[in-house]
Amino acid sequence: MKFRPARLAALALAAALSLTVTGCSLEETASGDTVKLVVGYQSKTINTVTAGTLLKAKGFLEQRLNDLTAKGGPKYQVEWQDYDTGAPITAQMVAEKIDIGSMGDYPLLINGSRTQANERSRTELVSITGYNPKGALNMVVVAPDSPARTINDLAGQKVSASVGSAGHGTLVQALTRAGIDPKTGVEVLNQQPQVGASALESGQVAGLSQFVAWPGLLVFQNKAKLLYDGAELNVPTFHGVVARRDYAKNHPEVLDAFLRAQLDATDFIHTEPLEAARLVAENSGLAQEVVYLYNGPGGTSFDTTLKPSLLAAFKDDVQYLKSIGDFAELDIDAFVERAPLQKAFADAGRDYAAEVANSANPAPVKGNDPVSGKPAENPALAGEIWFAGQNVTQPVSDPTALLRAIKQARAQAKTIRAAYIPDAELGTRWFADKALWVRDGERYLPFTTVAAAQRYLTAHPSAATVAYDQAVNEVRS
């Protein structure tokens, strides 16, 4: 099949750039001496919640701005604009109608390229919201009854993706590594996530490549199964915050307040993960169990710092721009602006250099496993069980211990709301009951995909696959 991504992307972006929003321009004030701030966010892209959904729900930004007013500053008015993807946020920043926005790494590339045409729209990357060091924020799913077992099985088929999104970028990389030309080897339908989800459910497409939380949501709803885990690429993926330089220059105190508020939201998601998941679920329409999959301990690394490893991967991704259309060259070093975040850290009494150098997930699973009697301290093994009616989760030390805890809970007639465990090969946090389990002696190992499980079975011929419920029933107590 023939696929012309350059034309498809150009049409999509042209349509996005034609969007307008009624309201003041960024240099105007709402009234008198009131300074207006317009924030673009994506409520369902839950790795941006510390700069969007959670930040808005907690009111951290408004609190910071009110503090400035109380100290003799002007009044501030915040307008929040919710979008499904990063493309319309970029369109509105080009039109000088959004001041600060958050989106994934590939959309950030497009944002930097599209906005640099004039100084008033030109943006800068000022912080990170969340990241995964291996790329597990983007995934490819197929229908529950699909015969596909690897990404190669999508060759010659229709795949839904939002062209220019992080999910599309992962699809391009995955196909390329599999030896499939992403331009001609599949037919990509440029669709918004919810449209693509419907297309997958109705059988109009063979696969859906999207960013969080769509893959986890569809699998949780039993509307899809995971075919390709983006962590197989072993390339960092992240979401970040961009600000219009002209606005930041005129209102540096507003950008500082935003970044301080983002630190507030990041600390909150670390200290109150279940409450944060509840707030995000209520304000996004997503299931709380799905939000917690990504936003809970051991999931997304919520870390605002501009880490060298992320920026190095970002530079390597620049070539993606040329693969989807005619984009202006983007100098990543010039696009990244560290000073505002460094100031926010200093004002908060925090050591930016120390935090930027720390590559560990700042919110790992921790605590003592009451069933195994061991501490849940190894991020490659530790998981959680969330029992209905509980406002805390139960830590588990390893996958086999999780199965034992589930078996014990069932015997006690406890209702399990969700259970989470990292993939044995890639480390991706996943639903325990949606994982593919392998028994190797007395150990049980979970995998996110058939391909991952098969790699283990090939290397360990004595091991065997086992269904989740069977593993729970047969594990030794």
Side-chain angles (χ1 to χ4, degrees):
M1 296 183 181
K2 298 297 182 181
F3 167 46
R4 300 177 64 187
R7 175 171 173 76
L8 187 154
L11 290 172
L13 287 167
L17 288 169
S18 69
L19 292 172
T20 58
V21 168
T22 300
C24 301
S25 73
L26 296 177
E27 294 308 312
E28 294 175 340
T29 57
S31 62
D33 61 350
T34 299
V35 176
K36 184 175 181 180
L37 169 66
V38 183
V39 180
Y41 74 110
Q42 303 169 66
S43 63
K44 288 183 171 58
T45 305
I46 56 177
N47 287 313
T48 65
V49 296
T50 54
T53 311
L54 181 62
L55 183 65
K56 179 174 182 282
K58 290 296 294 180
F60 289 133
L61 175 57
E62 288 80 358
Q63 292 169 25
R64 290 285 180 182
L65 293 174
N66 288 340
D67 288 345
L68 293 177
T69 301
K71 294 177 180 178
K75 294 181 180 179
Y76 296 91
Q77 176 188 336
V78 181
E79 179 181 325
W80 298 86
Q81 295 182 5
D82 187 9
Y83 297 93
D84 292 323
T85 64
I89 296 176
T90 291
Q92 297 298 70
M93 297 188 92
V94 169
E96 303 171 32
K97 292 182 179 294
I98 284 180
D99 305 314
I100 297 175
S102 55
M103 59 194 73
D105 42 12
Y106 287 95
L108 284 168
L109 289 174
I110 295 173
N111 181 282
S113 175
R114 288 297 193 199
T115 62
Q116 64 179 301
N118 74 77
E119 287 303 312
R120 286 177 60 86
S121 68
R122 192 180 185 94
T123 60
E124 56 192 13
L125 178 64
V126 294
S127 70
I128 303 299
T129 56
Y131 75 94
N132 183 280
K134 291 186 176 181
L137 303 184
N138 310 306
M139 296 174 166
V140 181
V141 295
V142 294
D145 59 353
S146 171
R149 296 172 62 85
T150 71
I151 195 75
N152 300 74
D153 294 324
L154 294 181
Q157 309 249 10
K158 293 180 180 179
V159 180
S160 175
S162 303
V163 173
S165 73
H168 180 240
T170 291
L171 177 65
V172 169
Q173 287 197 57
L175 291 172
T176 301
R177 289 197 184 188
I180 300 171
D181 188 334
K183 295 181 180 180
T184 60
V186 298
E187 181 180 352
V188 175
L189 300 187
N190 184 22
Q191 298 174 323
Q192 294 287 351
Q194 62 270 36
V195 176
S198 296
L200 181 69
E201 189 173 5
S202 64
Q204 296 175 39
V205 295
L208 172 76
S209 185
Q210 280 296 352
F211 45 83
V212 295
W214 291 97
L217 175 64
L218 294 175
V219 170
F220 176 75
Q221 295 173 332
N222 295 315
K223 294 179 178 179
K225 64 181 179 182
L226 189 58
L227 178 72
Y228 187 85
D229 184 342
E232 287 195 32
L233 294 173
N234 197 27
V235 176
T237 53
F238 65 90
H239 292 70
V241 176
V242 281
R244 278 196 322 110
R245 292 188 178 188
D246 187 65
Y247 184 89
K249 180 181 69 175
N250 292 328
H251 305 291
E253 81 286 359
V254 175
L255 178 58
D256 183 63
F258 185 94
L259 293 174
R260 288 291 303 275
Q262 190 190 345
L263 289 177
D264 296 336
T266 302
D267 291 341
F268 185 82
I269 208 170
H270 291 162
T271 58
E272 301 288 344
L274 273 179
E275 174 62 10
R278 184 188 68 79
L279 289 170
V280 171
E282 286 183 356
N283 288 276
S284 66
L286 295 167
Q288 191 173 346
E289 296 88 346
V290 175
V291 175
Y292 195 70
L293 168 70
Y294 296 108
N295 289 185
T300 301
S301 291
F302 283 98
D303 181 338
T304 62
T305 60
L306 294 154
K307 297 186 183 300
S309 59
L310 301 182
L311 299 182
F314 199 39
K315 289 181 180 180
D316 289 340
D317 291 339
V318 170
Q319 59 186 330
Y320 169 77
L321 288 175
K322 295 187 180 299
S323 76
I324 64 169
D326 183 19
F327 288 92
E329 292 288 340
L330 180 62
D331 182 340
I332 298 299
D333 290 327
F335 181 48
V336 176
E337 180 53 71
R338 298 173 178 81
L341 186 61
Q342 291 171 339
K343 180 182 184 303
F345 265 74
D347 291 345
R350 295 167 63 161
D351 188 339
Y352 181 83
E355 293 195 38
V356 80
N358 187 356
S359 60
N361 191 322
V365 175
K366 55 186 177 182
N368 291 316
D369 183 336
V371 175
S372 71
K374 301 176 182 178
E377 59 185 7
N378 186 339
L381 299 174
E384 297 178 283
I385 302 174
W386 185 1
F387 293 106
Q390 298 295 311
N391 57 8
V392 294
T393 58
Q394 177 176 307
V396 293
S397 57
D398 58 74
T400 305
L402 178 139
L403 295 176
R404 292 193 181 109
I406 296 292
K407 184 175 185 177
Q408 182 184 95
R410 287 180 176 179
Q412 297 170 349
K414 291 183 178 180
T415 300
I416 298 164
R417 188 164 178 176
Y420 309 93
I421 200 72
D423 173 278
E425 177 192 40
L426 303 172
T428 302
R429 176 174 160 99
W430 200 235
F431 296 112
D433 63 331
K434 307 301 183 185
L436 299 166
W437 288 82
V438 169
R439 180 182 60 239
D440 191 353
E442 294 190 358
R443 288 194 313 151
Y444 291 83
L445 306 168
F447 297 91
T448 56
T449 65
V450 171
Q454 189 56 53
R455 286 191 290 269
Y456 185 88
L457 292 170
T458 300
H460 303 81
S462 62
T465 56
V466 58
Y468 172 69
D469 286 331
Q470 181 183 342
V472 170
N473 291 333
E474 70 182 27
V475 70
R476 292 187 179 183
S477 301

